[in-house]
């Protein structure tokens, strides 16, 4: 198993990770591998398997401001960085970006979603894909929420007018509604930010 946590052993909160084998023996550096110890606080980590024995981790990051941005890192099975040291910036827009979650993109990368207050009036949900090499992905995205139109068209991607929150408007036309398959492809979920 690989676990991640926020850690206050230094002057700020940082993100650490550790691999433990089936006997409970530590596999990486004693006391964990530093995933990000950038200036400011890093908090609320979430992780998924990358499909190759490693993990992809996202967190809320305060290195640039006190409102929060979204960063991500991929570690291989040995605990070595696969992307930029201290993480790759997913969103550093003005305003607050917090509470990121992620699912597998099915090809060793991830799709991240988070709460975003760049409008300064209400939280919206934004999303972004990052591929296995750490490149931010481009997708067809009519409502500009970062989730592809196809992904928001029902569990099989063919229901053009899919309306998961039953408000009469297709999900792929509303930036505050996000519909997508979970990383294990077992459930199709719809998230709404009023």
């Amino acid at each position: 198993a690989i676990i991640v946590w926020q850690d206050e052993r230094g002057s700020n909160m940082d993100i650490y990770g550790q691999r433990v084998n089936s006997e409970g023996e530590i596999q990486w550096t004693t006391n964990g591998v530093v995933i990000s110890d950038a200036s400011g606080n890093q908090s609320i980590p979430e992780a998924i398997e990358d499909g190759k024995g490693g993990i992809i981790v996202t967190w809320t990051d305060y290195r640039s401001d006190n409102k929060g941005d979204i960063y991500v890192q991929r570690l291989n099975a040995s605990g070595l960085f696969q992307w930029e040291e201290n993480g790759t910036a997913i969103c550093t827009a003005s305003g607050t970006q917090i509470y990121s979650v992620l699912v597998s993109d099915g090809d060793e990368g991830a799709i991240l979603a988070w709460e975003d207050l760049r409008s300064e009036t209400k939280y919206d949900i934004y999303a972004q894909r990052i591929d296995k090499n750490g490149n931010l992905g481009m997708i067809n995205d009519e409502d500009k929420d970062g989730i592809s139109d196809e992904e928001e068209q029902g569990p099989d991607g063919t229901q053009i007018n899919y309306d998961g929150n039953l408000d009469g408007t297709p999900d792929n036309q509303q930036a505050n509604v996000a519909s997508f398959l979970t990383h294990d492809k077992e459930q199709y979920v719809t998230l709404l930010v009023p």
Side-chain angles (χ1 to χ4, degrees), residues 13-84:
M13 284 189 292
D14 298 314
I15 305 299
Y16 282 74
Q18 181 63 267
R19 177 184 283 281
V20 180
N21 69 14
S22 60
E23 269 91 62
E25 298 166 332
I26 292 173
Q27 301 298 295
W28 293 348
T29 305
T30 302
N31 297 321
V33 170
V34 176
I35 295 172
S36 179
D37 62 356
S39 62
N41 288 322
Q42 291 80 45
S43 62
I44 318 170
E46 295 284 334
I48 60 169
E49 296 177 10
D50 69 357
K52 291 291 185 179
I55 59 170
I56 300 172
V57 184
T58 183
W59 63 90
T60 302
D61 195 296
Y62 299 91
R63 72 183 72 177
S64 299
D65 62 38
N66 63 358
K67 294 182 177 184
D69 296 315
I70 305 301
Y71 278 74
V72 66
Q73 178 61 270
R74 183 178 181 194
L75 282 77
N76 67 13
S78 299
L80 301 174
F81 294 153
Q82 300 301 292
W83 299 337
E84 296 178 42

Side-chain angles (χ1 to χ4, degrees), residues 2 5 9 12 30 34 36 39 55 60 79 96 104 128 131 137 141 143 149 151 163 167 169 189-190:
I2 301 175
W5 67 93
R9 67 182 78 170
N12 295 308
T30 302
V34 176
S36 179
S39 62
I55 59 170
T60 302
T96 301
S104 172
Q128 176 66 60
D131 73 15
D141 183 18
D143 60 2
D149 292 341
E151 181 79 7
D163 182 15
D167 68 351
T169 303
V189 297
T190 298

Side-chain angles (χ1 to χ4, degrees), residues 16-188:
Y16 282 74
Q18 181 63 267
R19 177 184 283 281
V20 180
N21 69 14
S22 60
E23 269 91 62
E25 298 166 332
I26 292 173
Q27 301 298 295
W28 293 348
T29 305
T30 302
N31 297 321
V33 170
V34 176
I35 295 172
S36 179
D37 62 356
S39 62
N41 288 322
Q42 291 80 45
S43 62
I44 318 170
E46 295 284 334
I48 60 169
E49 296 177 10
D50 69 357
K52 291 291 185 179
I55 59 170
I56 300 172
V57 184
T58 183
W59 63 90
T60 302
D61 195 296
Y62 299 91
R63 72 183 72 177
S64 299
D65 62 38
N66 63 358
K67 294 182 177 184
D69 296 315
I70 305 301
Y71 278 74
V72 66
Q73 178 61 270
R74 183 178 181 194
L75 282 77
N76 67 13
S78 299
L80 301 174
F81 294 153
Q82 300 301 292
W83 299 337
E84 296 178 42
E85 184 176 351
N86 283 317
T88 299
I90 291 294
C91 183
T92 59
S94 63
T96 301
Q97 291 83 42
I98 55 175
Y99 302 124
S100 54
V101 295
L102 67 169
V103 296
S104 172
D105 72 351
D107 190 27
E108 301 170 41
I111 299 169
L112 293 89
W114 62 92
E115 292 182 31
D116 196 302
L117 190 60
R118 70 182 71 174
S119 70
E120 298 184 7
T121 58
K122 65 180 177 69
Y123 279 98
D124 293 313
I125 295 174
Y126 280 77
Q128 176 66 60
R129 178 178 180 260
I130 187 166
D131 73 15
K132 61 186 170 186
N133 299 312
N135 301 308
L136 300 183
M138 299 298 293
I139 55 177
N140 291 329
D141 183 18
E142 181 180 336
D143 60 2
K144 308 293 185 230
D145 65 359
I147 298 177
S148 74
D149 292 341
E150 181 179 344
E151 181 79 7
E152 289 193 296
Q153 293 175 356
D156 61 2
T158 62
Q159 301 169 35
I160 295 171
N161 294 315
Y162 184 82
D163 182 15
N165 66 324
L166 305 174
D167 68 351
T169 303
D171 292 354
N172 67 348
Q173 295 175 13
Q174 302 180 78
N176 67 322
V177 177
S179 295
F180 51 89
L181 280 171
T182 56
H183 75 279
D184 59 6
K185 303 205 184 311
E186 294 291 321
Q187 297 180 333
Y188 191 75

